[in-house]
Every structure is written in structure tokens, then in C-alpha cells.
Amino acid sequence: MRFIENRYTLLGLGLALTGALLAPLAYLILRSTPLTALGMSTIILGAVCLALGRARPKIPPELSAILLQAGLDNISAILEELGLRSKAIYLPSSVTGGYPRALIPMDSNSSPLEIKRSLPKRLIAKYGPRPEDIGILITTPGSTSLSLLESKPGPTPEALEAALSSILVGTIDLADAVKVSMSDEGATIEVSNPHIEYESTRLYQLLGSPVASIVASLTAEALDKPVTVDQERYDRGKSVIEIKVVQ
Amino acid sequence: MRIFDRYIILLSLVFMLTTVVLSALGETRLDLYFSAWLVEYLAVTFLYIYFNPRARKMLDTIGYVLFAGFMVMVAMKVAQILFGIKSL
């Protein structure tokens, strides 16, 4: 039965049934308060497990991993084919329209970013007045993560930390904790125990890891400014991501 | 989901500790056990504020049901005091 496919539902049913049998038995026949209390608490825990079973994402984690890998491979193929070397600039939704996206300039020696209007929703977009101001505009794992939030994050470290924790820890279970500190140049985000390993590939060097991509997208949205993943390092189970505002 | 696992484990430990301590103290009032669980459930669930909206909604519903049970216990206690009706 689909209803009992996930382990939380199975556990919940087991606990609830055990408690439902134990509690009246212990109260009426055994006259034992501790066992009755045990039965009642088991019923409550069973109900909690059943509730969490229904709240679990419907897409299995394995399928999510496959979809993520397929998407990253496609982006990687585009970057290799076009020979791009510039780091991605994460743009807020006020510039891209819809949701935050990453811009990778075609020219690695391009001049400072000058985006004066919303960019067209195309793969190859002209973002400035000069002829070399052309780049590819891509949707990254971070781009769609904004839809998981109920509202846009605020520009303070506390608001950004709450938003990142909600997504990375609560919703997609990609890390154990998030800590944010901000400065004028950007932000430093510490992600504890990320559940995706960093790979030393060109894709990760240009775009950042999926965790860094989500962090950068949300930071761009919170600050309403273009940002880039300046540095990403791993140290004793923590991923430290330095986000720099693009002036 | 690791956050779900941690939540269930913490809640189970807290409930178990409460039950063991109250039983060791010889407590026979089930309404006291239930009141302690209700407070613990609300406190632990409040700590886990980063659940997805669907999980929060489901857990809030359980909280409402437990609170309704608590109000029934209070009503029974009041009836016992006022009318001498025996309760749990």
C-alpha cells in the first residue's frame, strides 16, 4: 500500500497501535499507572510519526539526486562547449524577472557589471551597453530554491540566516546548521555538515557547489544586489562560503 | 529526513525521561503525566522552527488535539471539585 511505503508512517502505525493496546490494558486490567503512561506517550509519538510521514517530500531522495546530477551535467556541458571561464554572478529577481539566476559573462576580461534594466529571459543575454557585455543566463539549484520560502528574505544577517536555515536544514535537508555574518563587501556563511560533497570541477569553480549556489542566490535576493561566490572552503565538517557583492 | 529523525528522537527521550521520573516519584495521576507531555511537546516543536510548512501544519494540528485533551482534563477536574464527580 502506498500509504505505508515510507518508514515514518510505518513507525507511526506501529507505535500508535502498540500504545492503543497497552494503555487500556494497563489501566483496566493491570492497574499500573507507569504502563498506562507509557501506552499514552506511545500513542502521541505514533501520531507525531504519522504526521511527519505525510509531510515528507513526495519525490524520493534518490530521484532528486538523479535530477540534480542531470541538471548539473547539462550546465557543465554548456560551460565546456562555450569555453567559459568567468565566475558566475548571481542576480536578484528584480534584475532577471521571476527568480534569481546566474549570469556567466562570455568575456572573462569584461568590464565591471553595468546592468541598467531587467534582463531578457533568454539563455544568451546582453547585460550591458558594450559589445562584449554578453553572457549566458542560467537557472541554478539556487534559483528555484526561493520558491520554497514564504516570503523574500530581508537584508539583515538574521533574516538571511533564517531563510537559509529554513531551506538548507528544514526543507531540503542539505545541512545541519547555517550561520551568517555580513560586512560591507558581502557575507560569510558557515554551513555545518553539508550533505553534498564538493567536487573540484570547472562547474563547481565557476558556479559554486549546489550549497554555495543556493546560498549565493538567496544572498543576492536578500541584498537585492548581484553577488558572486568568492571562495568556498571546507574545514572540519563546515563549509565556509564567502559571498562578495559585485560593485 | 535527518531533521525529522532528530525531532522524533528528542521527543521520545524527553517523554521517556518524564515518564520514568514521575513513575519513580510514585505519581499516579495520569493528568499530570499528560500535562507534562503537552508542555514538552509544545516546547520541542517550537525549537524546530525550520520544518517545512506542511510538517509544521501537521504538528500544529497534533498540538491543538493535545491541548483539547488538556482542556477536557481541566473540565473534569473542575467538575470533580464542584460536583464531587470522580475523575482519572
Side-chain angles (χ1 to χ4, degrees):
Chain A
M1 287 191 293
R2 281 186 72 85
F3 179 65
I4 56 168
E5 263 178 11
N6 83 61
R7 58 196 174 114
Y8 295 106
T9 307
L10 205 55
L11 175 65
L13 275 175
L15 287 173
L17 281 171
T18 304
L21 287 171
L22 179 63
L25 190 74
Y27 184 70
L28 295 170
I29 298 174
L30 299 175
R31 301 281 180 188
S32 167
T33 303
L35 285 179
T36 309
L38 178 67
M40 288 170 65
S41 63
T42 309
I43 293 172
I44 297 172
L45 289 171
V48 167
C49 292
L50 283 170
L52 293 179
R54 294 198 63 182
R56 200 166 167 262
K58 292 190 172 27
I59 299 177
E62 295 79 11
L63 179 58
S64 302
I66 291 171
L67 293 173
L68 175 66
Q69 193 58 46
L72 292 178
D73 284 349
N74 282 329
I75 297 174
S76 182
I78 292 173
L79 297 181
E80 290 285 347
E81 193 65 32
L82 295 176
L84 299 177
R85 302 209 187 287
S86 309
K87 277 212 168 187
I89 301 169
Y90 286 86
L91 302 174
S93 59
S94 57
V95 174
T96 60
Y99 45 81
R101 298 174 82 184
L103 171 74
I104 304 180
M106 296 276 210
D107 185 0
S108 54
N109 296 319
S110 61
S111 311
L113 202 66
E114 270 187 61
I115 299 178
K116 296 195 190 311
R117 54 187 172 82
S118 287
L119 297 179
K121 292 181 185 176
R122 303 182 63 175
L123 176 62
I124 297 174
K126 195 161 179 5
Y127 58 87
R130 293 173 290 268
E132 63 270 20
D133 292 341
I134 296 178
I136 64 164
L137 205 55
I138 52 176
T139 302
T140 65
S143 304
T144 49
S145 62
L146 189 67
S147 61
L148 299 174
L149 289 175
E150 290 169 354
S151 61
K152 180 180 160 175
T156 61
E158 295 78 23
L160 182 58
E161 187 173 307
L164 285 170
S165 297
S166 173
I167 290 180
L168 292 177
V169 180
T171 306
I172 60 178
D173 194 23
L174 211 49
D176 288 349
V178 177
K179 196 173 165 190
V180 173
S181 57
M182 274 187 184
S183 64
D184 292 333
E185 287 86 34
T188 301
I189 291 94
E190 285 181 16
V191 178
S192 298
N193 197 19
H195 304 148
I196 282 189
E197 286 177 7
Y198 181 83
E199 295 172 21
S200 191
T201 58
R202 181 186 289 190
L203 174 70
Y204 279 35
Q205 284 162 11
L206 298 186
L207 228 58
S209 65
V211 173
S213 173
I214 292 170
V215 165
S217 293
L218 282 174
T219 307
E221 194 65 15
L223 299 178
D224 201 24
K225 289 176 184 172
V227 302
T228 188
V229 179
D230 190 41
Q231 195 185 11
E232 189 177 356
R233 62 180 190 275
Y234 285 78
D235 180 33
R236 282 176 291 181
K238 266 191 196 170
S239 168
V240 180
I241 302 164
E242 304 277 353
I243 300 292
K244 192 172 151 190
V245 174
V246 177
Q247 303 294 347
Chain B
M1 295 285 290
R2 289 170 183 84
I3 192 172
F4 284 6
D5 296 342
R6 287 201 298 266
Y7 172 76
I8 291 169
I9 288 170
L10 179 62
L11 199 62
S12 304
L13 281 173
V14 167
F15 276 19
M16 182 192 72
L17 207 63
T18 307
T19 307
V20 165
V21 167
L22 288 177
S23 299
L25 291 173
E27 188 54 59
T28 58
R29 290 174 294 171
L30 286 172
D31 48 358
L32 184 62
Y33 284 86
F34 189 84
S35 304
W37 294 330
L38 173 64
V39 171
E40 287 157 6
Y41 175 83
L42 294 174
V44 171
T45 306
F46 181 74
L47 286 175
Y48 279 80
I49 57 174
Y50 296 128
F51 278 139
N52 63 62
R54 190 171 160 81
R56 276 209 305 271
K57 193 177 166 187
M58 304 291 280
L59 292 175
D60 284 347
T61 305
I62 292 178
Y64 296 142
V65 170
L66 290 176
F67 188 74
F70 174 74
M71 293 308 292
V72 166
M73 276 180 352
V74 167
M76 286 170 68
K77 218 37 166 181
V78 168
Q80 183 189 11
I81 293 167
L82 289 178
F83 306 115
I85 299 169
K86 193 177 176 207
S87 65
L88 288 172

